[in-house]
Amino acid sequence: MGRIVSIGECMGELSETGTPGALSMGFAGDTLNTAYYLRRSLGTDWQVDYLTAIGTDGLSDRMLDFLAAEGIGTDHVRCLSDKTIGLYYITLKDGERSFTYWRNDSAAKRLASDPSLLARALDGADMAYWSGITLAILSNQDRLALIEALSQFAGRGGTVVFDPNLRPRLWDNPETMRGWIHRAAAVSDLCLPSFEDEATWFGDTDPSETIKRYLAEGSQRVVVKNGAADVSFTDGAGQISTCAIPPVERVVDTTAAGDSFNAGFLAAELSGESVREAIAAGARLAGKVIGAKGALVPEATSRA
Ligand code: ADP
């Protein structure tokens, strides 16, 4: 059996329902969203684990129950008695969603503070998946510890997949963000950036510049998402190509578009499909996810 470890922060999601005083509660977060869709897209010959840190309170228990109910492995979820999970609240106004976060002191910020737990989680795994958000929430010391753990994992033959997911608000300043993102790319076999973010924060003028930059930083392969536009990618030999994606008739909510694309893409490649087939699978899954409200859409898998 193969095993993937997704590393990052899952938060509680409170959203207005349209009925005054009534909220709905869920769980989401970039790396969790990808783990969720990987679990739904891969067969039972793959185990999908989530590596994070939570508290020991009732709300943290609910998150653990949620992960377990989804079939996501929780053996590497660290439980810290003096912390709890981060939360965000979605306000609905005229159909537009806006977000308020309480995550500055979340347990997940400590997910990499015990290197022996990182090593144990990665031991025997085939793939590790992480993001720029995972890196952003950590202390400098823990960023180095996680990069080191992933570098050793890659050295043993593990595949490291990284979505830069640039969120300048989580970093002290954009320059610091750029520096760490490139250090992360250097230990990652595959980078899955989104062009709009990369153009904004790195000044790339087209997706091939994004690809060349991440290759120059040490990534082996790069696949660049670009909303409704073509996906650009490299093969192992560094050749750059593009692949058109099917139009989505009705875009309802683009939350988790990139996260679900990544899951569909990886699930297809792990099932032996070509890079073009994997891009089509990623786009198919993302298309279903953005056609419905919320980050986690239970009906969506990359299977046709
Ligand atoms: P992110 O959510 O990380 O910003 P993108 O917006 O680039 O990522 O979208 C990721 C993927 O989701 C795209 O490659 C595409 O497959 C799909 N997607 C996003 N927006 C659209 C759209 N308007 N029409 C069709 N597909 C889309």
Side-chain angles (χ1 to χ4, degrees):
M1 182 189 270
R3 187 163 73 87
I4 303 178
V5 185
S6 181
I7 305 168
E9 177 170 24
C10 175
M11 288 170 287
E13 178 193 88
L14 293 168
S15 52
E16 295 182 349
T17 55
T19 307
L23 296 174
S24 79
M25 174 74 195
F27 296 100
D30 66 335
T31 50
L32 180 274
N33 303 341
T34 302
Y36 173 93
Y37 290 114
L38 276 169
R39 178 62 284 156
R40 279 163 182 261
S41 303
L42 285 165
T44 50
D45 49 342
W46 281 93
Q47 181 175 331
V48 180
D49 288 343
Y50 198 54
L51 189 164
T52 191
I54 61 173
T56 52
D57 56 313
L59 182 57
S60 297
D61 289 347
R62 288 270 188 280
M63 182 183 287
L64 214 48
D65 293 344
F66 162 77
L67 294 172
E70 288 302 327
I72 296 168
T74 58
D75 283 356
H76 306 292
V77 175
R78 216 182 153 193
C79 299
L80 303 167
S81 59
D82 59 338
K83 297 280 174 197
T84 188
I85 61 169
L87 278 181
Y88 65 100
Y89 184 103
I90 306 174
T91 322
L92 256 188
K93 194 173 176 214
D94 305 328
E96 284 294 308
R97 291 149 57 96
S98 59
F99 297 80
T100 307
Y101 290 91
W102 296 268
R103 69 189 302 190
N104 287 345
D105 191 35
S106 67
K109 291 171 93 75
R110 308 265 299 279
L111 66 85
S113 62
D114 184 342
S116 67
L117 295 183
L118 294 178
R120 202 187 64 191
L122 293 170
D123 186 34
D126 300 274
M127 178 178 282
Y129 177 84
W130 65 317
S131 79
I133 296 179
T134 309
L135 197 58
I137 64 169
L138 305 180
S139 67
N140 278 345
Q141 187 183 336
D142 292 0
R143 287 173 184 156
L144 288 173
L146 182 53
I147 288 173
E148 176 57 25
L150 290 169
S151 169
Q152 288 186 12
F153 173 68
R156 294 193 301 270
T159 302
V160 179
V161 181
F162 179 67
D163 184 334
N165 246 332
L166 305 176
R167 296 288 184 281
R169 268 189 291 181
L170 296 178
W171 295 89
D172 287 343
N173 58 67
E175 204 43 52
T176 304
M177 172 179 78
R178 287 190 277 265
W180 283 103
I181 290 292
H182 280 169
R183 290 168 91 160
V187 297
S188 299
D189 300 278
L190 170 61
C191 283
L192 298 170
S194 291
F195 179 64
E196 200 180 312
D197 291 347
E198 303 294 322
T200 304
W201 297 104
F202 284 97
D204 299 339
T205 53
D206 63 61
S208 68
E209 268 193 23
T210 305
I211 291 180
K212 287 178 197 153
R213 183 167 47 76
Y214 281 114
L215 291 179
E217 294 298 332
S219 179
Q220 304 300 304
R221 295 168 62 208
V222 186
V223 176
V224 183
K225 296 155 278 177
N226 193 8
D230 291 2
V231 169
S232 302
F233 64 99
T234 47
D235 55 25
Q239 188 77 29
I240 298 178
S241 310
T242 59
C243 186
I245 55 164
V248 172
E249 250 172 54
R250 208 168 70 95
V251 177
V252 174
D253 173 7
T254 58
T255 308
D259 307 332
S260 56
F261 176 95
N262 295 350
F265 176 87
L266 293 171
E269 279 211 330
L270 291 170
S271 307
E273 293 182 33
S274 71
V275 61
R276 281 186 182 277
E277 287 165 337
I279 290 167
R284 196 159 58 233
L285 175 51
K288 290 177 195 160
V289 171
I290 65 179
K293 212 170 118 261
L296 304 182
V297 179
E299 311 75 61
T301 74
S302 63
R303 295 178 203 157

